[in-house]
Amino acid sequence: MKTTIEYKDKSILVLGLAKSGFAAARILTQLGAKVTVNDQKPIDDSPEIQELHNLNIEVIGGGHPPDILERPFDLVVKNPGIPYSNPVLQKAQEKSIPIITEVEIAYHISEAEIIGITGSNGKTTTTTLIYEILKEGQKYPLISGNIGTVACEVAAKTTKAEVLVMELSSFQLMGTRYFKPRISVLLNIFNAHLDYHGTKEEYGKAKANIFKNQTKQDYAVVNADDPFVMELANDANATIVPFSLTRKSENGAYIKNGQIIFKNEPIIDIVDIVLPGRHNLENILATIAAVKLYGVSNEAIRRVLQTFTGVKHRLQYIETINGRKIFNDSKATNILATQTAIAAFSEPILLLAGGLDRGNSFDELIPSLKKVKGVIAFGQTADKILDAAREAGINLLKRVDNVEKAVIAAYDMSSEGDVILLSPACASWDQFKTFEQRGDMFVESVHKLKVD
């Protein structure tokens, strides 16, 4: 861990525990800060809480009292998910107390250079691909951030010989002040998290923090096909490295004659890439730009792209059974994600969809459903999805109780050459605790097909 005086002798409030709060509190204490932790939930006697007490960290639970800021705090480190409308954060802003997230701490203590990846869609796939290719190219990467591992906890263990690959959400980036990756990647900007940010402009502004502090010696890999991304990139001081599915760029990554090209150098034939979908081609272009900037060989890139079948639950290829290709896209918890998944295939699709009913219709899905062979629906939204499928002219329809029965029904309805695709277009919380649990049930049910 790199030594820093940024937090030494500072009085710091960590707002919200979870994994990131525990890690931030421990590391800030190691850096010489006086730390107080405040969490919405009542405090228990868990080993984690006992560890904080053993470090002389005061822990206050059972709510976020605004009067906690009557104490002279120098800094607030907030859990990314806590909105800025929280009374404690509003009070902090009134008192001009800086508010950060733990990725800012990660930047200050990381001995490794950072590659930061953000965007509305494709972050996890791109982050994972960059990590896997850097590993194949013997660049000693570590992976962290919004992908599930706390950034500052990983950063504390880095060395100068490594590179820290970090997936970053808008929530995390909004809480940065000096954060500066060596290479930033901005994949795309869609209307997302507007309940948190208010407007697309504010959402984009938070994303653009990824290259706010970069200089000409750093790189910003950006999507030249997304006008909003390019508008944000206009204010970046970094060296811009574009990627595009539709146009040539001598300074970036693009497609020509069925090949991916980087700075006029052929890297790989598209037919050799295992991962399906036009959207994944965008992720791959961004990935290639980032790893080539880091000096990875074309051979290492090809070895990974010829075998990488996807991140778990994100258009993940499972296997082929009797000529049916089967994919798990349980992470598709909204209509846009399912539209993207359907567009990834040219083969006939048996779509498994349904889940939590949030009150919306599925009219937006109808144009995409017109290329679907059959729909098997389950969960609270089953009837709504089947109505949309009928409107799209689909006759091959079935309502079932759960994912396991949906797999059996889809296989029975399918033919050789079809794709069986779980892409629910809904959250999982009507029948599952998480989309991961739903995807695992799907995969388990697929494996049972071979036994049965």
mmCIF file of all heavy atoms in Angstrom, residues 321-322 324 326 350 406-415 420 449:
data_model
loop_
_atom_site.group_PDB
_atom_site.id
_atom_site.type_symbol
_atom_site.label_atom_id
_atom_site.label_comp_id
_atom_site.label_asym_id
_atom_site.label_seq_id
_atom_site.Cartn_x
_atom_site.Cartn_y
_atom_site.Cartn_z
ATOM 1 N N ILE A 321 -26.962 -28.451 -26.825
ATOM 2 C CA ILE A 321 -27.573 -29.763 -26.604
ATOM 3 C C ILE A 321 -28.420 -30.115 -27.817
ATOM 4 O O ILE A 321 -29.390 -29.407 -28.137
ATOM 5 C CB ILE A 321 -28.440 -29.765 -25.326
ATOM 6 C CG1 ILE A 321 -27.584 -29.442 -24.086
ATOM 7 C CG2 ILE A 321 -29.135 -31.121 -25.149
ATOM 8 C CD1 ILE A 321 -28.368 -29.377 -22.794
ATOM 9 N N ASN A 322 -28.036 -31.174 -28.502
ATOM 10 C CA ASN A 322 -28.775 -31.627 -29.690
ATOM 11 C C ASN A 322 -29.031 -30.484 -30.667
ATOM 12 O O ASN A 322 -30.142 -30.312 -31.187
ATOM 13 C CB ASN A 322 -30.092 -32.291 -29.290
ATOM 14 C CG ASN A 322 -29.874 -33.556 -28.483
ATOM 15 O OD1 ASN A 322 -28.888 -34.273 -28.695
ATOM 16 N ND2 ASN A 322 -30.756 -33.838 -27.543
ATOM 17 N N ARG A 324 -29.139 -27.283 -30.106
ATOM 18 C CA ARG A 324 -29.690 -26.057 -29.531
ATOM 19 C C ARG A 324 -28.602 -25.348 -28.724
ATOM 20 O O ARG A 324 -28.066 -25.923 -27.765
ATOM 21 C CB ARG A 324 -30.855 -26.346 -28.594
ATOM 22 C CG ARG A 324 -32.159 -26.758 -29.263
ATOM 23 C CD ARG A 324 -32.245 -28.236 -29.410
ATOM 24 N NE ARG A 324 -33.612 -28.678 -29.707
ATOM 25 C CZ ARG A 324 -33.872 -29.833 -30.309
ATOM 26 N NH1 ARG A 324 -32.878 -30.644 -30.694
ATOM 27 N NH2 ARG A 324 -35.117 -30.202 -30.536
ATOM 28 N N ILE A 326 -27.534 -22.712 -25.973
ATOM 29 C CA ILE A 326 -28.257 -22.235 -24.788
ATOM 30 C C ILE A 326 -27.450 -21.137 -24.098
ATOM 31 O O ILE A 326 -26.250 -21.299 -23.833
ATOM 32 C CB ILE A 326 -28.530 -23.398 -23.818
ATOM 33 C CG1 ILE A 326 -29.300 -24.508 -24.568
ATOM 34 C CG2 ILE A 326 -29.326 -22.927 -22.616
ATOM 35 C CD1 ILE A 326 -29.539 -25.765 -23.765
ATOM 36 N N LEU A 350 -35.873 -19.122 -28.817
ATOM 37 C CA LEU A 350 -36.885 -19.431 -27.823
ATOM 38 C C LEU A 350 -36.536 -18.600 -26.595
ATOM 39 O O LEU A 350 -35.505 -18.835 -25.946
ATOM 40 C CB LEU A 350 -36.885 -20.922 -27.461
ATOM 41 C CG LEU A 350 -37.626 -21.890 -28.388
ATOM 42 C CD1 LEU A 350 -39.092 -21.511 -28.552
ATOM 43 C CD2 LEU A 350 -36.944 -22.020 -29.725
ATOM 44 N N ALA A 406 -39.656 -23.646 -17.400
ATOM 45 C CA ALA A 406 -39.449 -22.879 -18.633
ATOM 46 C C ALA A 406 -38.373 -23.521 -19.498
ATOM 47 O O ALA A 406 -38.490 -23.555 -20.730
ATOM 48 C CB ALA A 406 -39.082 -21.439 -18.306
ATOM 49 N N VAL A 407 -37.332 -24.049 -18.876
ATOM 50 C CA VAL A 407 -36.256 -24.711 -19.624
ATOM 51 C C VAL A 407 -36.792 -25.942 -20.345
ATOM 52 O O VAL A 407 -36.511 -26.165 -21.537
ATOM 53 C CB VAL A 407 -35.094 -25.085 -18.673
ATOM 54 C CG1 VAL A 407 -34.100 -26.018 -19.363
ATOM 55 C CG2 VAL A 407 -34.383 -23.833 -18.182
ATOM 56 N N ILE A 408 -37.558 -26.739 -19.638
ATOM 57 C CA ILE A 408 -38.130 -27.955 -20.236
ATOM 58 C C ILE A 408 -39.053 -27.589 -21.404
ATOM 59 O O ILE A 408 -38.991 -28.179 -22.485
ATOM 60 C CB ILE A 408 -38.896 -28.761 -19.167
ATOM 61 C CG1 ILE A 408 -37.922 -29.254 -18.080
ATOM 62 C CG2 ILE A 408 -39.631 -29.939 -19.809
ATOM 63 C CD1 ILE A 408 -38.605 -29.827 -16.854
ATOM 64 N N ALA A 409 -39.923 -26.581 -21.174
ATOM 65 C CA ALA A 409 -40.862 -26.160 -22.218
ATOM 66 C C ALA A 409 -40.121 -25.616 -23.438
ATOM 67 O O ALA A 409 -40.484 -25.920 -24.591
ATOM 68 C CB ALA A 409 -41.810 -25.110 -21.660
ATOM 69 N N ALA A 410 -39.073 -24.827 -23.218
ATOM 70 C CA ALA A 410 -38.313 -24.248 -24.327
ATOM 71 C C ALA A 410 -37.640 -25.335 -25.146
ATOM 72 O O ALA A 410 -37.644 -25.283 -26.389
ATOM 73 C CB ALA A 410 -37.278 -23.264 -23.787
ATOM 74 N N TYR A 411 -37.075 -26.312 -24.478
ATOM 75 C CA TYR A 411 -36.420 -27.411 -25.215
ATOM 76 C C TYR A 411 -37.444 -28.184 -26.034
ATOM 77 O O TYR A 411 -37.195 -28.514 -27.205
ATOM 78 C CB TYR A 411 -35.692 -28.343 -24.241
ATOM 79 C CG TYR A 411 -34.931 -29.426 -24.958
ATOM 80 C CD1 TYR A 411 -33.672 -29.182 -25.501
ATOM 81 C CD2 TYR A 411 -35.498 -30.689 -25.134
ATOM 82 C CE1 TYR A 411 -32.981 -30.166 -26.197
ATOM 83 C CE2 TYR A 411 -34.820 -31.681 -25.831
ATOM 84 C CZ TYR A 411 -33.567 -31.420 -26.356
ATOM 85 O OH TYR A 411 -32.890 -32.385 -27.057
ATOM 86 N N ASP A 412 -38.612 -28.469 -25.449
ATOM 87 C CA ASP A 412 -39.655 -29.214 -26.158
ATOM 88 C C ASP A 412 -40.164 -28.448 -27.380
ATOM 89 O O ASP A 412 -40.557 -29.047 -28.383
ATOM 90 C CB ASP A 412 -40.827 -29.515 -25.216
ATOM 91 C CG ASP A 412 -40.472 -30.563 -24.151
ATOM 92 O OD1 ASP A 412 -39.470 -31.264 -24.348
ATOM 93 O OD2 ASP A 412 -41.197 -30.651 -23.141
ATOM 94 N N MET A 413 -40.172 -27.109 -27.302
ATOM 95 C CA MET A 413 -40.665 -26.270 -28.402
ATOM 96 C C MET A 413 -39.601 -26.015 -29.468
ATOM 97 O O MET A 413 -39.898 -25.527 -30.556
ATOM 98 C CB MET A 413 -41.150 -24.925 -27.849
ATOM 99 C CG MET A 413 -42.403 -25.035 -26.994
ATOM 100 S SD MET A 413 -42.678 -23.563 -25.946
ATOM 101 C CE MET A 413 -43.012 -22.320 -27.167
ATOM 102 N N SER A 414 -38.351 -26.319 -29.163
ATOM 103 C CA SER A 414 -37.232 -25.929 -30.035
ATOM 104 C C SER A 414 -36.898 -27.001 -31.067
ATOM 105 O O SER A 414 -37.330 -28.151 -30.962
ATOM 106 C CB SER A 414 -35.993 -25.638 -29.181
ATOM 107 O OG SER A 414 -35.525 -26.836 -28.577
ATOM 108 N N SER A 415 -36.108 -26.578 -32.025
ATOM 109 C CA SER A 415 -35.597 -27.488 -33.053
ATOM 110 C C SER A 415 -34.082 -27.315 -33.155
ATOM 111 O O SER A 415 -33.514 -26.344 -32.635
ATOM 112 C CB SER A 415 -36.234 -27.171 -34.415
ATOM 113 O OG SER A 415 -37.642 -27.174 -34.339
ATOM 114 N N ILE A 420 -31.823 -21.146 -27.328
ATOM 115 C CA ILE A 420 -32.651 -21.045 -26.121
ATOM 116 C C ILE A 420 -32.016 -19.992 -25.234
ATOM 117 O O ILE A 420 -30.866 -20.139 -24.803
ATOM 118 C CB ILE A 420 -32.760 -22.396 -25.397
ATOM 119 C CG1 ILE A 420 -33.485 -23.405 -26.286
ATOM 120 C CG2 ILE A 420 -33.475 -22.238 -24.052
ATOM 121 C CD1 ILE A 420 -33.544 -24.815 -25.723
ATOM 122 N N LEU A 449 -31.316 -31.407 -18.454
ATOM 123 C CA LEU A 449 -31.839 -31.863 -19.743
ATOM 124 C C LEU A 449 -31.057 -33.073 -20.263
ATOM 125 O O LEU A 449 -31.628 -33.993 -20.837
ATOM 126 C CB LEU A 449 -31.772 -30.722 -20.775
ATOM 127 C CG LEU A 449 -32.748 -29.570 -20.643
ATOM 128 C CD1 LEU A 449 -32.424 -28.503 -21.674
ATOM 129 C CD2 LEU A 449 -34.188 -30.046 -20.794
#
